[in-house]
Each structure stands twice: as structure tokens, then as C-alpha cells.
Amino acid sequence: MARTRKLTVATAAVVLTTSALTTPAAAAKPPRCPLIFGHGGYPDNPGASLKDRIRQANNPSAVRHMRRSGAQGVEADVQLTKHGTKAVMWHNTTTNGLTGPRRAITDLWWSTGDGNLRSRRISRGPYKGEKVYTLRAWLQHVASVRMIALLEVKPEAKRVLASKAHSAAAWRELSYPLLERQDLQPIMVYSTDPWIQNQLAKRHPSLLKGEHARWTDSVVWDEPPPGWKGNTHRWQSILKLRPISIMTNYPLEYRRWLEGRCD
């Protein structure tokens, strides 16, 4: 256990404390190879909800696929069920992509009631048959395969995180798994919702994503997946900035493209 803890903390140090400063001599050298965070890809066009193949790394099968593709970290999505009673790993606002009738995630209980989230399974795409995981269980799996966890708290969670009636319980459900594991594995968090992001900065300042996992793709994702080669111009421009880490929908192709371009 002590050895495992030492390894995970060392990994976190590489991610979270690498300096961007270089000497004039070092500036002439090839850039340091950035850490790669895998992102699942979601159609960015009309009809996206029908096209979506549920590729996000919100379940162990998807996490292992990202690892086999050469990613050192994964970006995944946190939602809250009804009244903030369970933090779960799911991208979509509704159960679109899961078995059963379509419902908003924030309207469902985790394990009780008709159509509860725990009983559902992914209904299409490469991870068909996988269940929805809790935040705590997902973090434990990511640690077991020695990957870095990058969590996006989805904007829909604001409904319960800001609720007078349910805020305290919802924040406990979201924060406790992070507090339990932040010294055992590298974790980063962020949200595209300004209010949630501000709250994360107050509650978990040491875990904020910041400039890590910089988005590097330029090709607009669709289904079926578009070719990766249209990304190379932006990949090159971002690499010149010497990022500590990047995020891409194409971790396997990006890793191959990096060969010979960095140390």
C-alpha cells in the first residue's frame, strides 16, 4: 500500500507541479511531451442527441480503452441524481443512451423508484451493456489502472448544488469522494458553469484543472468519427506552447503523431 501511494503521489506531482519556465539553452530543445488526456467525443451539430454513441470515459470499459490508446488521464462527467443524493458518472442531461424511458438525471433516484438510474444500462455504442457508475466507484477504478482523473461537474448539477433545501447534502455527495481520495491519486476538477466553477475554487482549490489538459483538437466531432488528420495544424501550434498536458478525442493517433516531435 505504501509503495502504491508513493507512485500515485509522484504521478500527481508530475502533473500538478511541472514548471513552464525554461532557460535559453532549454528553449532550443524539443518540447517536453505533454501528458495526454482522452476525451470521448460528442457530436457538435444538429441531431447530436440521436447520433451520440456514448463514448465518454464514464465507465471502466471506456477508461481501459483510453489507457490502451496511450492516454495517461481521462476526462469524465459528474452529474447528481434527485435532491443531490448520489454523484454519478454520466454526460447527458437525460438518460438518452440508457435503457428505459427518457428522464432528466436530476429527476431520478439512484437505486429506488421506477426507472432508477442504477438499474439502467448503456443502450448503444462501443460500451453497450455497461452500467452507470458512482463517482466514488469510478475514482477507485481510475486509480487501479494508474490514470489521472479529470472531472467535469456538469452544469445541470447546479440545480441541486444551489438549492437551499438540498445544497448541503449535494455538496457532501460530490466533495466527500474527492476528499477521501485526493491524497491517494491525482484528481482535477472543473466546470463550464461559472457558479459551479467558483464554488469548486472555494471548496477544492488544490484540485482545479487550471491550464492543465489544454484542448488541442480542431476537427468538429461527429458520428461516425471524422478523420484525425485535420487536427495536425492545431496540434502543432499547441505543442509549440509547451503544454504540460493536452486533451484530445484522438489519444491513439495523437500519441503516434507526437513521436519525434518532443522528448
Side-chain angles (χ1 to χ4, degrees), residues 52-261:
D52 179 25
R53 302 298 291 170
I54 321 298
R55 297 183 186 273
Q56 298 79 28
N58 293 324
N59 61 75
S61 295
V63 170
R64 289 191 295 271
H65 177 258
M66 291 290 185
R67 190 173 188 273
R68 290 193 300 269
S69 297
Q72 292 113 325
V74 285
E75 197 261 12
D77 312 285
V78 185
Q79 300 266 18
L80 287 164
T81 60
K82 191 170 184 176
H83 297 171
T85 50
K86 188 67 69 175
V88 296
M89 305 305 296
W90 186 247
H91 175 274
N92 295 341
T93 304
T94 71
T95 55
N96 175 42
L98 291 171
T99 54
R102 188 176 299 192
R103 299 276 302 280
I105 299 300
T106 51
D107 287 341
L108 285 176
W109 297 109
W110 167 242
S111 59
T112 61
D114 185 37
N116 67 77
L117 200 56
R118 188 176 186 177
S119 66
R120 297 176 183 243
R121 297 294 181 267
I122 294 176
S123 61
R124 61 179 183 265
Y127 309 117
K128 183 177 179 179
E130 270 281 11
K131 64 182 182 179
V132 177
Y133 281 74
T134 66
L135 171 58
R136 183 175 280 104
W138 184 87
L139 284 172
Q140 290 171 348
H141 177 75
V142 172
S144 74
V145 295
R146 298 190 180 188
M147 296 188 78
I148 306 162
L150 173 57
L151 296 165
E152 178 189 355
V153 182
K154 302 300 285 184
E156 295 81 6
K158 182 179 178 180
R159 176 177 170 182
V160 286
L161 290 173
S163 163
K164 289 183 179 179
H166 307 296
S167 176
W171 276 109
R172 282 196 300 271
E173 179 62 24
L174 178 63
S175 291
Y176 278 16
L178 304 180
L179 296 171
E180 288 169 4
R181 301 203 61 83
Q182 65 182 8
D183 293 330
L184 302 175
Q185 66 184 110
I187 302 171
M188 292 184 286
V189 296
Y190 78 103
S191 180
T192 60
D193 179 90
W195 183 87
I196 297 177
Q197 180 72 3
N198 184 58
Q199 289 295 312
L200 290 173
K202 293 177 180 178
R203 297 166 186 267
H204 302 286
S206 66
L207 302 184
L208 286 184
K209 171 182 176 291
E211 293 300 315
H212 298 280
R214 182 165 185 169
W215 186 250
T216 195
D217 294 351
S218 57
V219 171
V220 176
W221 187 262
D222 202 352
E223 293 290 350
W228 62 272
K229 293 184 178 179
N231 291 306
T232 56
H233 180 75
R234 178 169 167 81
W235 285 358
Q236 184 62 51
S237 65
I238 295 297
L239 185 62
K240 287 181 179 178
L241 300 177
R242 299 173 180 263
I244 297 170
S245 52
I246 62 90
M247 181 161 48
T248 177
N249 285 326
Y250 302 86
L252 179 62
E253 292 82 0
Y254 185 84
R255 176 164 289 285
R256 291 172 176 169
W257 175 85
L258 269 185
E259 293 179 6
R261 290 182 167 86

